[in-house]
Amino acid sequence: MTDPLRLLERSDKYYLGSGGGIIWAPRYPRWLDAPGFWDEAHVYHYELAPIFTVTLLGEDGDPPGQPLAARPTGRRWTPAELVTTYALDDDLSADEHRSVLPGGYFMSEWRIRNAGGSARKLLGVAWTAQSTAGLELSSVQAAAGTVSFNHMLQDRHVHRLNVEVSLEAPDGGVAGSAFLSEGTIAGPVWEHTPFPEKWRRGPVTSVQVAGVSPRGVLYVAVASPVTVPAGGDATLCLRAQVRPTGLGDSQATEAAAYHIQKHVPPPGRREIARPTPGSEPGMASRAHWNEYFQGVPGFACSDVFFERYWYYRWYGLQLCGHEGGAGNHLYPGCCEGTGYFHVPIAYSAQCHARELRWLSDPARARGTLLNILAHQKEGGKLHGRIYVNHLARTDFYFANWGDAVLAVDCVHPDLDFLKAAYEPLTRYAEWLDGERDREDSGLYDVVDHYETGQEYMSRYMAVSPKADSESWGNLIRLKGVDATVYAYRLQRALAEIAASTGAEADAARWTAAADRTGSAISGLMWDAESGMFSDVDPRTMQRTGVKAAVCFYPFFTDLAGPDQVEGLRGHLLNPSEFWTVYPVPSTSADDPYYSPDAEWKGKRHNCPWNGRVWPMANSHVIEAIARSAIEHDPGLRERTVEFVRKFVRMMFHDGDPSRPNCYEHYNPDTGQPCQYRGFDDYQHSWVNDLLVSYVAGFRAAGGDAFVVDPFPFELESLRLTGLPFRGHKIDIGIEGERFKVSVDGMVRVESTIGTQVLIEL
């Protein structure tokens, strides 16, 4: 069996977390080679820096108490830990194991080796320097081996979150000091702190936070002695705990929250045990991550890119996970990314649901949707972001809520979950009808280029020269293909959910609504002459003719037939339009605004959709071409294979199978990611769901039935094990041209690639 931690080990990565909403993933780290965590961490979307660094003092030196220069000589990373090797002096070397454990524990655990002939006495010091802006100086408390204080963090919207920070030396701590100082925070330099002078006769426990002014820097330190025997080694543990407090009650809308919680009560926030002192360095984090990986389906594949990315995506989903039970995060779920994206966001929730459903426990898959629905606005609109302790400036994003809910439920069926989702989704669909289709056309309005999650594109400029304004607001009106397809799939889903609960009148109502929307897409958005779907200008009800990746979205529905598929072939597979070296660009390559280099009107942008390859759009378009291949044109299977291979390989630095990544967008010619953004592990797409559906070939077929129909990837071997489906475990094995399917350990069928098999449980 694959060892995910060993499989993902590399030397160029450093992100750390444990799925609890608190992570260490600095965008542009300056102090990566310094011990500890001096670069910023995030408590949900709130930034805190620094956490602490570590200085080792030579207690038996001349004079005693001199810092040992920790010179890094090597580094290795796994999802569980960042291990840095340091040379300390001629005889001493050390490995520091950095990790972030549940409960907000930032761990710096050391194994120090002594090659000399005499024992060495050292003092390990964990210390930090905090600007007093936001600090509650009266909260500072110290004892031997621990110092704690309260810190008020501030986000980009000037909202605040109080965190309690405690610095700890759990293995025989001998000091806890806090000293107030004028000046600024220069960096993790021991000589700049007050401690060399205040501790010149030895470490002390003391708090001095008075002065003529509270402005300045609070220096905090704890110390723990360690003796390293001659020719032997010793361990040292230093840590900080960062704990958010005062989150208050959820600001969920009363009606929506009551309805949802009536059917699916949110779990309470589980108690987190303190790390056990004296354990092997890094052991607790490795155990935590191994337990998590045991809950994901096993995947071994002769295509090393597929195998590596499978586990890398599961790592990313856990890194960005949150536990629920904290403020507005009622249910366990997933954040969109790191930094200020470390918050549940509606546009990506649809992606998280599709992938998290393959966990044995469906709580996070359901929770990532319920967290959004529980905070529905009174009029039915949904928040675009769910901040942990406020709902200000949350934006709005269109998303494919209908397919996401059904995707989760088809794997983990639960009538209560469907009932919980039905009412808020109904209110949202009614809001779409009332606010975004006032013409009663069956097509739905985009009124701001940000709310599609796809800003800076020709499709918006086609209806307004001011469409690319940097301000949110009702600047445009565009009947969007993506917005309308999402509405269509929502209406179909509501009809299905209503029928499953016996609400036949509601089922008929939503079926009629979906029929109307589907007819509008087919009649008003499809251009038979050009062979492409298109946005519509509501002023004229004429198609804009702008070619964008979203124009292929109707192909992952039941609205496209053989005639439309010819258009998909003509445009999607055209190298002059969308079939670039790394397909597909978000805007056609023959568009006047097209730029593969992330430029819009001569300026490089953070999030341009006028030519970059976005994994989010690729996830949708692969579904579109794959469904077209299955239902209409088998010849597209080979092109789907090519697309999936290029998509996955694009997300590896320089084609190196040991260095997977996931950035917001990529260059369609070179495959280079937007590293300038500083946001790796951006969970804004689905990939593992594609590997399940088309590489392994597992697809639900309604009720308790499923098909296995691998696309022709010409793999030497593949083994997908423990895939959950409706209370059972499915195994799929591929050897060359043959494949075998087992249910709960019993072989059910053997077949060949190209021959679909149907299995009913």
Side-chain angles (χ1 to χ4, degrees):
M1 296 299 293
T2 301
D3 179 349
L5 295 183
R6 181 173 295 179
L7 182 74
L8 296 176
E9 183 176 318
R10 55 200 278 192
S11 62
D12 64 330
K13 199 166 177 65
Y14 52 88
Y15 289 9
L16 297 172
S18 57
I22 298 176
I23 61 171
W24 189 67
R27 290 178 70 186
Y28 309 110
R30 296 178 58 199
W31 308 107
L32 200 56
D33 287 334
F37 305 87
W38 200 263
D39 291 298
E40 76 273 10
H42 277 84
V43 183
Y44 303 103
H45 68 287
Y46 288 91
E47 181 180 309
L48 173 62
I51 306 298
F52 70 94
T53 190
V54 173
T55 299
L56 297 175
L57 303 178
E59 288 297 276
D60 49 8
D62 186 18
Q66 293 301 300
L68 301 178
R71 180 171 57 86
T73 60
R75 182 194 306 142
R76 64 179 176 85
W77 171 91
T78 74
E81 57 188 338
L82 177 65
V83 182
T84 304
T85 301
Y86 300 100
L88 303 176
D89 63 17
D90 290 343
D91 294 329
L92 294 178
S93 62
D95 291 333
E96 181 196 20
H97 296 247
R98 283 178 270 191
S99 61
V100 177
L101 295 180
Y105 287 98
F106 291 77
M107 308 294 293
S108 175
E109 300 173 281
W110 294 71
R111 180 171 298 282
I112 306 171
R113 295 176 293 274
N114 180 7
S118 302
R120 298 288 297 275
K121 293 183 178 181
L122 307 176
L123 188 68
V125 183
W127 62 273
T128 188
Q130 300 288 324
S131 169
T132 57
L135 276 182
E136 184 183 337
L137 291 176
S138 63
S139 70
V140 180
Q141 297 182 356
T146 180
V147 180
S148 63
F149 55 89
N150 290 337
H151 201 318
M152 190 68 71
L153 308 182
Q154 183 172 298
D155 69 7
R156 296 189 300 165
H157 303 318
V158 201
H159 287 267
R160 296 184 174 185
L161 174 68
N162 184 71
V163 297
E164 181 182 278
V165 181
S166 59
L167 204 57
E168 303 172 355
D171 295 332
V174 296
S177 297
F179 301 120
L180 190 60
S181 171
E182 284 194 330
T184 58
I185 303 171
V189 181
W190 175 254
E191 290 79 4
H192 293 177
T193 75
F195 305 114
E197 295 179 282
K198 301 293 287 186
W199 288 10
R200 61 185 178 274
R201 295 183 181 85
V204 298
T205 295
S206 177
V207 174
Q208 297 179 6
V209 294
V212 296
S213 168
R215 295 192 302 271
V217 178
L218 180 70
Y219 288 92
V220 173
V222 296
S224 183
V226 58
T227 299
V228 191
D233 59 51
T235 60
L236 170 70
C237 177
L238 298 164
R239 70 192 186 202
Q241 185 185 22
V242 178
R243 189 172 64 90
T245 62
L247 287 173
D249 296 330
S250 171
Q251 299 170 49
T253 307
E254 184 175 351
Y258 171 77
H259 172 81
I260 289 174
Q261 293 174 37
K262 179 174 66 173
H263 297 289
V264 185
R269 190 168 179 83
R270 65 186 182 92
E271 291 297 321
I272 304 296
R274 298 177 71 85
T276 303
S279 61
E280 182 74 14
M283 183 175 68
S285 186
R286 292 191 297 272
H288 172 80
W289 276 91
N290 280 326
E291 181 183 10
Y292 165 71
F293 279 121
Q294 288 170 7
V296 311
F299 190 88
C301 185
S302 57
D303 187 316
V304 65
F305 292 96
F306 288 162
E307 181 176 281
R308 193 73 56 91
Y309 211 84
W310 173 267
Y311 288 104
Y312 185 78
R313 174 49 61 105
W314 284 117
Y315 141 75
L317 290 167
Q318 175 72 348
L319 175 79
C320 294
H322 64 84
E323 297 170 342
N328 289 328
H329 298 173
L330 298 171
Y331 297 88
C334 194
C335 301
E336 186 166 282
T338 63
Y340 56 76
F341 291 111
H342 201 57
V343 60
I345 296 179
Y347 190 41
S348 56
Q350 58 184 328
C351 308
H352 305 152
R354 293 180 75 112
E355 301 211 290
L356 292 170
R357 64 180 174 151
W358 300 119
L359 290 175
S360 298
D361 183 351
R364 283 184 62 198
R366 293 172 181 156
T368 198
L369 301 174
L370 295 178
N371 276 324
I372 306 292
L373 298 180
H375 294 83
Q376 187 168 34
K377 297 182 180 182
E378 293 294 345
K381 190 177 182 180
L382 296 171
H383 290 279
R385 306 165 193 264
I386 307 298
Y387 296 111
V388 70
N389 66 334
H390 70 85
L391 292 174
R393 299 180 65 181
T394 55
D395 309 327
F396 166 75
Y397 295 104
F398 288 101
N400 191 354
W401 299 113
D403 280 345
V405 168
L406 294 182
V408 173
D409 193 68
C410 85
V411 175
H412 299 283
D414 186 274
L415 196 58
D416 284 334
F417 170 65
L418 293 181
K419 290 177 178 178
Y422 181 75
E423 182 177 299
L425 286 179
T426 293
R427 296 177 65 235
Y428 173 67
E430 291 169 345
W431 175 82
L432 286 175
D433 285 337
E435 296 296 326
R436 296 304 179 92
D437 185 24
R438 295 182 176 179
E439 300 89 353
D440 198 30
S441 66
L443 306 179
Y444 293 87
D445 291 341
V446 175
V447 301
D448 187 295
H449 71 145
Y450 290 110
E451 66 182 18
T452 62
Q454 302 187 11
E455 54 264 38
Y456 302 107
M457 300 180 75
S458 288
R459 58 189 297 227
Y460 313 116
M461 304 301 289
V463 295
S464 173
K466 298 180 180 179
D468 58 350
S469 169
E470 293 183 348
S471 301
W472 286 77
N474 297 330
L475 302 175
I476 60 173
R477 279 189 69 222
L478 176 73
K479 299 289 186 182
V481 174
D482 45 355
T484 304
V485 167
Y486 290 165
Y488 171 70
R489 291 304 305 151
L490 174 59
Q491 293 157 354
R492 287 283 184 230
L494 290 172
E496 184 173 332
I497 296 171
S500 70
T501 60
E504 297 301 331
D506 281 355
R509 168 197 174 192
W510 291 116
T511 296
D515 289 345
R516 185 194 65 145
T517 302
S519 295
I521 293 172
S522 299
L524 298 173
M525 289 184 158
W526 171 251
D527 186 343
E529 184 175 347
S530 68
M532 198 161 192
F533 290 94
S534 169
D535 299 319
V536 168
D537 186 337
R539 297 170 299 185
T540 63
M541 295 307 292
Q542 298 297 308
R543 292 178 290 273
T544 65
V546 176
K547 294 179 291 185
V550 297
C551 297
F552 299 110
Y553 284 17
F555 290 93
F556 65 69
T557 75
D558 58 353
L559 296 175
D563 292 341
Q564 285 80 13
V565 170
E566 282 304 308
L568 178 142
R569 270 189 169 274
H571 292 284
L572 179 59
L573 305 181
N574 185 345
S576 299
E577 296 182 31
F578 291 97
W579 209 250
T580 47
V581 177
Y582 293 93
V584 297
S586 46
T587 296
S588 176
D590 62 0
D591 187 277
Y593 286 98
Y594 176 80
S595 170
D597 303 320
E599 294 176 351
W600 176 261
K601 295 184 176 180
K603 175 185 176 182
R604 188 176 73 173
H605 275 245
N606 287 336
C607 300
W609 284 74
N610 60 319
R612 299 287 280 186
V613 177
W614 285 75
M616 175 59 129
N618 270 11
S619 302
H620 288 76
V621 179
I622 288 174
E623 296 288 355
I625 188 175
R627 178 160 184 165
S628 298
I630 293 167
E631 297 187 356
H632 303 295
D633 184 352
L636 288 173
R637 285 178 176 252
E638 287 77 10
R639 306 314 292 270
T640 304
V641 167
E642 180 184 353
F643 194 174
V644 172
R645 278 191 177 134
K646 287 183 173 182
F647 178 29
V648 173
R649 280 159 171 73
M650 177 185 72
M651 294 184 290
F652 286 80
H653 289 290
D654 302 320
D656 183 347
S658 69
R659 300 173 62 210
N661 63 60
C662 191
Y663 286 85
E664 292 172 272
H665 50 87
Y666 296 76
N667 187 299
D669 299 326
T670 67
Q672 292 299 306
C674 56
Q675 288 177 271
Y676 66 92
R677 290 281 283 138
F679 293 113
D680 197 357
D681 298 332
Y682 194 76
Q683 308 306 301
H684 196 231
S685 56
W686 60 90
V687 181
N688 283 356
D689 198 62
L690 300 174
L691 299 182
V692 170
S693 298
Y694 306 115
V695 181
F698 179 94
R699 298 187 292 277
D704 289 337
F706 64 90
V707 299
V708 178
D709 175 25
F711 277 39
F713 282 87
E714 299 182 346
L715 301 171
E716 292 180 12
S717 64
L718 176 145
R719 185 156 176 79
L720 175 63
T721 58
L723 191 74
F725 184 69
R726 305 179 80 83
H728 299 269
K729 296 291 187 182
I730 313 300
D731 298 341
I732 299 172
I734 298 176
E735 297 289 338
E737 291 300 310
R738 296 195 60 79
F739 67 89
K740 179 169 58 178
V741 184
S742 299
V743 178
D744 298 329
M746 301 292 292
V747 176
R748 290 288 297 268
V749 69
E750 296 188 44
S751 187
T752 57
I753 304 293
T755 302
Q756 173 180 294
V757 298
L758 174 68
I759 297 175
E760 295 189 17
L761 299 173

